[in-house]
Amino acid sequence: MSLLEPASVSPLPEGITDPNYKPLPGRLGNLTPGQLHALNTLRQQLVDEGRFVPERMDDATLLRFLRARKFDVAKTKAMLLSAEQWRKDLNVEDIVMNFEFTEKKEVDKYYPQYYHKMDKDGRPVYIQRLGRIDVGALNAITTQDRQLRRFVLEYEKFLAERLPACSKAVGHPVETSCTIMDLAGVSITSFYRVKDYVFQAARIGQDRYPECMGKFYIINAPWAFTSVWSIIKPWLDEVTVAKIDIVSSASVRERLLSQIPAENLPIEFGGMCQCVGGCSLSDAGPWNPQAQANGVV
């Protein structure tokens, strides 16, 4: 069957309370007959081969991997099984159960990375401030391996806690994040010193947690980045490029507020939010009702 056939009436997920919700193409509730066939085929092959893991391979997850491989079942299965092997090699389950990033507060001073509330579409907002990186200070506090384990732990929480809480809050499935990457103060030298970590983290996101990017704002980019981007852009998938928005310093506030409510956007980016103790450490959002109860926000 052609994957370009008109959308079929595939079942919507349970729990939808938003009467205006219309799933994007390739999601549950908006699958072509060909896409639905690919989903069923992938699931059945995994079951027949004894490789189906129910707690990690629900239809929404299988569809994320299928979209990443343009609904090619063979390529999707290879990607999914590679991710499963990676999970075993890294012992992701142990990270989820036992890893504690006790140096979080200190690391936040030199490389803030955090989830903070939701955008207007219900996505959790993820913020990285690369311009604040102090490599020497970071190396004295933590290691690259621990930072990557923290990165994996946050992805697991993103899927298991943040997305379900956001979905419940807005009344429809939320499957992606809205990322702000702040490059203010980044130099070529400072970026080069952390590029291995950044590239490893990007590869983990792309290969192990595909199709989790909804919006991606790169703000305050130095002039050199613009030149590099013009070379990289033609090599990227057009769907990925469409999600990335490089915002000039003069337009940051306007552009971000068009996607993120002012009360949810930290004040340093032009919003109104000033969490007690700092937004980067508040973990404020529908996934953490305790933050609200304690007066963090």
Side-chain angles (χ1 to χ4, degrees):
M1 293 185 181
S2 170
L3 299 184
L4 299 179
E5 295 175 29
S8 65
V9 185
S10 53
L12 285 167
E14 296 181 359
I16 294 175
T17 59
D18 176 5
N20 299 314
Y21 173 64
K22 295 180 180 179
L24 294 171
R27 275 77 173 174
L28 291 172
N30 191 3
L31 298 175
T32 67
Q35 290 170 341
L36 185 59
H37 177 72
L39 172 62
N40 291 334
T41 299
L42 174 62
R43 189 195 313 106
Q44 192 60 53
Q45 287 185 7
L46 292 168
V47 170
D48 292 345
E49 295 172 14
R51 295 181 172 184
F52 184 74
V53 184
E55 63 268 25
R56 288 199 299 276
M57 297 181 184
D58 60 10
D59 284 353
T61 300
L62 295 181
L63 284 170
R64 283 198 295 108
F65 279 85
L66 281 163
R67 292 195 300 273
R69 290 296 177 263
K70 302 185 185 301
F71 284 84
D72 183 306
V73 173
K75 291 180 180 179
T76 301
K77 185 166 71 171
M79 182 186 194
L80 184 61
L81 295 180
S82 176
E84 283 295 300
Q85 185 60 51
W86 167 81
R87 294 181 68 90
K88 293 179 182 177
D89 294 342
L90 191 62
N91 202 352
V92 171
E93 304 312 310
D94 182 68
I95 291 175
V96 172
M97 294 295 295
N98 300 309
F99 181 73
E100 294 184 15
F101 197 66
T102 54
E103 60 269 44
K104 178 179 178 179
K105 190 171 182 179
E106 286 300 305
V107 168
D108 182 71
K109 298 176 182 177
Y110 308 109
Y111 186 10
Q113 310 168 68
Y114 59 100
Y115 286 92
H116 188 264
K117 302 188 178 181
M118 299 186 297
D119 72 1
K120 293 180 179 179
D121 295 315
R123 301 184 186 93
V125 177
Y126 181 63
I127 298 170
Q128 290 194 65
R129 303 192 69 179
L130 284 173
R132 295 276 295 276
I133 285 180
D134 182 327
V135 176
L138 280 175
N139 289 340
I141 297 167
T142 189
T143 65
Q144 182 171 305
D145 178 71
R146 284 185 61 79
Q147 289 188 79
L148 285 171
R149 287 174 182 273
R150 177 208 183 181
F151 182 77
V152 170
L153 178 60
E154 290 299 326
Y155 248 123
E156 292 293 312
K157 288 182 177 180
F158 169 77
L159 292 172
E161 300 174 14
R162 294 189 171 96
L163 290 185
C166 291
S167 299
K168 183 177 180 180
V170 297
H172 62 74
V174 177
E175 299 184 72
T176 59
S177 64
C178 174
T179 295
I180 300 171
M181 180 176 282
D182 184 10
L183 300 183
V186 169
S187 67
I188 297 299
T189 301
S190 64
F191 180 76
Y192 183 80
R193 295 179 68 186
V194 296
K195 67 178 178 63
D196 289 344
Y197 166 78
V198 172
F199 289 161
Q200 283 188 59
R203 178 59 65 88
I204 288 171
Q206 174 180 285
D207 295 347
R208 313 311 182 189
Y209 303 96
E211 291 292 302
C212 288
M213 180 196 297
K215 295 280 188 178
F216 196 112
Y217 296 98
I218 298 175
I219 65 174
N220 301 317
W223 67 267
F225 179 82
T226 304
S227 300
V228 173
W229 176 247
S230 66
I231 298 172
I232 296 174
K233 183 178 177 180
W235 294 90
L236 297 177
D237 183 276
E238 62 181 11
V239 175
T240 299
V241 172
K243 297 176 181 177
I244 298 175
D245 193 353
I246 302 175
V247 185
S248 67
S249 297
S251 303
V252 167
R253 183 176 185 274
E254 178 184 3
R255 194 69 64 84
L256 294 183
L257 287 176
S258 71
Q259 184 63 37
I260 303 169
E263 62 272 20
N264 289 359
L265 184 66
I267 194 168
E268 57 263 39
F269 300 115
M272 297 168 55
C273 190
Q274 294 178 278
C275 294
V276 176
C279 292
S280 61
L281 293 173
S282 70
D283 196 27
W287 54 85
N288 186 14
Q290 193 64 37
Q292 186 95 22
N294 291 342
V296 171
V297 294

